[in-house]
Amino acid sequence: PLSPTASTHAHARLSPHRHGGERGREGPRRAARPMAMPGRLELVEWLNSVLQTDYRRIESLSDGVAFLQLVDACHPGLAALSKLKFDASHEQDYVHNLGLLEDAFRRCKISRAVDVVQLSRCSFQYNLEMLQFLHAYVDRHYPTAPEEYPGYDRRLEALHRQAKAQKWKKRAPSPLDFSKSELQNHGM
């Protein structure tokens, strides 16, 4: 099987000797074969190398986290990683994360529909198709992602932003949070 990082284009090298032609003459031209799609195991291996994760099953991708990170690999900052529910364990959390994927596709002008319902239901087929699409997309737009994308660091960064936002929401507002006119309106 082809490795995920190896080129999958097989160009036929035509030798004049193989096709009965004379030396210096090319044989009949053949069309290049279409790019072979890696199998599910190669796709999961590729995903884990890009994102520095340890996914084992295609169905586990239904939480949307990996898909959104693949978009982030190609378009840093356009995928709202800090809004992800990294510990998603229920379908409603999956729907939330896949909604962020839809938003990211819109922002990045990716014209692929995201079937949130089917993906969130842990459908092997729908998750496989989305992973195949994103594999091809990343290969086209960021072929060096497996070597360069800091998947683990990007998740940590997003989690730190989430923690900071939670801390901000939990603290009581201080007078410094308001403008002078707002304080006067509240009698402060």
Side-chain angles (χ1 to χ4, degrees):
L2 295 172
S3 73
T5 56
S7 173
T8 55
H9 288 294
H11 297 289
R13 292 187 181 173
L14 301 178
S15 163
H17 300 289
R18 278 190 247 164
H19 299 287
E22 296 172 15
R23 188 166 255 270
R25 243 188 189 184
E26 288 187 26
R29 283 196 85 96
R30 293 184 185 171
R33 280 195 263 153
M35 199 163 138
M37 183 58 67
R40 65 183 171 84
L41 296 177
E42 289 91 359
L43 283 169
V44 171
E45 183 180 314
W46 169 82
L47 177 74
N48 287 333
S49 74
V50 172
L51 303 182
Q52 300 161 353
T53 54
D54 62 350
Y55 285 99
R56 298 207 188 312
R57 301 177 63 216
I58 297 288
E59 296 88 336
S60 302
L61 303 175
S62 62
D63 66 1
V65 174
F67 295 147
L68 195 62
Q69 268 205 275
L70 289 173
V71 174
D72 182 64
C74 294
H75 306 281
L78 292 180
L81 295 181
S82 62
K83 293 182 180 179
L84 270 172
K85 294 184 178 185
F86 286 99
D87 59 348
S89 58
H90 300 291
E91 191 173 334
Q92 69 230 25
D93 296 335
Y94 299 170
V95 168
H96 167 82
N97 289 348
L98 292 165
L100 296 174
L101 180 66
E102 274 186 314
D103 292 343
F105 274 25
R106 221 179 347 269
R107 277 192 218 112
C108 300
K109 296 179 176 44
I110 299 172
S111 60
R112 166 117 180 169
V114 177
D115 191 338
V116 172
V117 173
Q118 291 297 332
L119 289 169
S120 67
R121 290 187 179 154
C122 303
S123 163
F124 172 83
Q125 188 61 40
Y126 283 90
N127 282 284
L128 177 64
E129 288 173 7
M130 182 59 72
L131 183 57
Q132 288 171 334
F133 169 78
L134 286 169
H135 175 266
Y137 188 85
V138 171
D139 271 358
R140 220 176 14 257
H141 296 283
Y142 190 12
T144 57
E147 296 84 32
E148 296 177 2
Y149 181 68
Y152 179 75
D153 293 337
R154 294 290 288 155
R155 285 191 301 282
L156 276 182
E157 193 177 300
L159 286 168
H160 286 296
R161 274 192 245 124
Q162 285 178 358
K164 191 174 181 181
Q166 287 297 332
K167 192 183 239 184
W168 175 258
K169 285 179 186 177
K170 288 182 182 178
R171 84 172 174 82
S174 78
L176 299 175
D177 294 335
F178 301 97
S179 69
K180 188 175 181 180
S181 61
E182 288 174 320
L183 289 172
Q184 288 172 346
N185 289 342
H186 293 295
M188 295 181 177

